[in-house]
Amino acid sequence: MEPLSTALSSAVSASYERWAHHEADAASPLYAGWARGIAADDALAALLAELPQRKRQPNLVFAAARTSGVPLAPWSAVRDAFASQWPRIRATVLSRVTQTNEARRLATLVPGLHDIRGPIALIEVGASAGLCLYPDKWRYRFGPGKYVGEANRPLLETDASPSVPLPAEVPQAAWRGGVDLNPLDPADPATKEWLEALIWPNAHGEPDGERVDVLRTGLAIARRDPAHLVKGDLLEEIEGLVTEAKRHARRVVVWHSAVLAYLDERDRTAFADFMRASGVRWISNEGKLVDVGPAAPWADPADFVLRIDGQPVARTNPHGRSIDWASDL
């Protein structure tokens, strides 16, 4: 029988190879190279196998490596640095979670507000630093000539199919709240460092300047108007947040993006059941493979699915770069 440690190392190698092929090859060849380098390195795969399973994900490990001084360079040039910095990388991995806070996802969430007039009370589940709690602080471009929001606001752009419904204006948020297991302070320099490290290098192996700019703008917005962020489990805190939100506005909106993957199937179902019974507008933007609700056959496995009150209405790019309405597919 294969020793348990060897079996775990083999599992790490296989998972990193899969991740390189299915997620990183097209988006970030540099990270694909890092993942394949670890997959082929028995010693490093064994180190990762010692981590708790939920801590072995490449996004988390690579961000921790970057904050530990490993540069963005081909794997052959950084392998030794990765190995020598492993104690520091490991400590960061154990103390952090991914918490990618992609403000551009607002452009794919806002169409879920197309029929709502403000003011609203807005709740984000899995809020991280709360950067997606400020839809009314941005301007949006959904294609040539399709703008929503005031011209003096910072711009978020996404490619939108013809039938995507757009609000005449983004409802004003009378109150903003969120829940996260580890909410981040947008005023803390460590938050900026960590969230920037979570941004994948682009196709040229360099920091993605556009995403970094959006992140920094989002942090500045959140610093000026702090939201009410609660630390805790979403299943335990969501009812109290909804109750509080109803004190501030007649219309309550709860939304989330890239959160359900961190819940097991039972908890995903429990959360969805509560949202359907809550009487709020529920806007969900989650990976198809962890989605909850009626099937979305027009979405590919790598897509996110946008749902309004549980019903699938569009496929979206995970980082908010595109939205295609179901009727256009």
Side-chain angles (χ1 to χ4, degrees):
M1 180 180 295
E2 186 179 31
L4 178 60
S5 59
T6 302
L8 288 175
S9 297
S10 298
V12 166
S13 294
S15 69
Y16 270 61
E17 182 63 42
R18 284 195 302 272
W19 184 86
H21 176 70
H22 291 291
E23 299 194 40
D25 271 342
S28 180
L30 183 79
Y31 266 9
W34 282 23
R36 289 195 171 93
I38 288 174
D41 192 312
D42 292 343
L44 292 180
L47 291 175
L48 266 68
E50 294 173 358
L51 296 169
Q53 184 173 3
R54 69 183 185 281
K55 295 288 189 177
R56 298 173 195 159
Q57 55 184 294
N59 289 355
L60 177 59
V61 172
F62 294 167
R66 289 170 62 180
T67 61
S68 300
V70 177
L72 291 178
W75 180 250
S76 60
V78 303
R79 188 274 176 196
D80 290 346
F82 190 98
S84 66
Q85 291 295 323
W86 177 248
R88 186 177 173 188
I89 295 170
R90 180 180 183 276
T92 300
V93 165
L94 293 175
S95 65
R96 289 282 193 178
V97 291
T98 50
Q99 295 186 279
T100 299
N101 215 179
E102 181 59 73
R104 188 188 296 275
R105 289 177 182 149
L106 283 169
T108 53
L109 291 166
V110 160
L113 303 173
H114 69 94
D115 58 343
I116 290 182
R117 300 295 177 264
I120 62 173
L122 179 60
I123 298 169
E124 184 183 11
V125 175
S128 186
L131 304 193
C132 286
L133 282 167
Y134 302 87
D136 50 340
K137 302 295 185 181
W138 296 83
R139 191 183 198 209
Y140 304 89
R141 183 178 185 269
F142 293 93
K146 293 184 177 182
Y147 288 92
V148 175
E150 297 177 10
N152 62 347
R153 295 173 181 165
L155 183 67
L156 292 176
E157 298 187 72
T158 192
D159 293 327
S161 69
S163 298
V164 174
L166 304 179
E169 60 182 27
V170 179
Q172 294 294 308
W175 183 85
R176 311 171 204 273
V179 58
D180 199 283
L181 288 173
N182 181 39
L184 301 178
D185 179 2
D188 185 349
T191 293
K192 173 178 174 292
E193 179 189 27
W194 179 242
L195 292 180
E196 288 192 11
L198 285 166
I199 296 175
W200 292 17
N202 61 24
H204 305 290
E206 302 167 345
D208 190 325
E210 184 180 13
R211 288 185 65 192
V212 170
D213 287 346
V214 168
L215 170 63
R216 292 177 179 176
T217 301
L219 287 169
I221 290 170
R223 286 196 299 269
R224 289 194 295 267
D225 183 14
H228 176 66
L229 299 182
V230 175
K231 182 175 183 177
D233 182 273
L234 64 89
L235 288 174
E236 296 173 0
E237 302 294 341
I238 186 60
E239 184 175 0
L241 279 170
V242 169
T243 299
E244 175 65 21
K246 288 179 178 179
R247 298 190 182 104
H248 297 271
R250 182 178 62 86
R251 294 303 306 265
V252 175
V253 176
V254 176
W255 68 22
H256 52 91
S257 188
V259 172
L260 296 185
Y262 298 98
L263 304 181
D264 61 28
E265 184 175 358
R266 181 183 64 179
D267 286 348
R268 288 197 295 268
T269 300
F271 175 70
D273 289 344
F274 173 80
M275 292 311 306
R276 293 188 187 100
S278 66
V280 308
R281 169 60 57 90
W282 174 31
I283 303 173
S284 169
N285 186 37
E286 297 288 340
K288 179 180 178 178
L289 297 181
V290 296
D291 210 4
V292 176
W298 28 260
D300 294 328
D303 290 333
F304 275 26
V305 175
L306 183 73
R307 294 176 181 268
I308 299 177
D309 297 329
Q311 297 303 308
V313 296
R315 70 180 183 193
T316 71
N317 171 268
H319 292 132
R321 297 186 183 278
S322 64
I323 176 170
D324 297 298
W325 213 248
S327 58
D328 295 324
L329 298 171

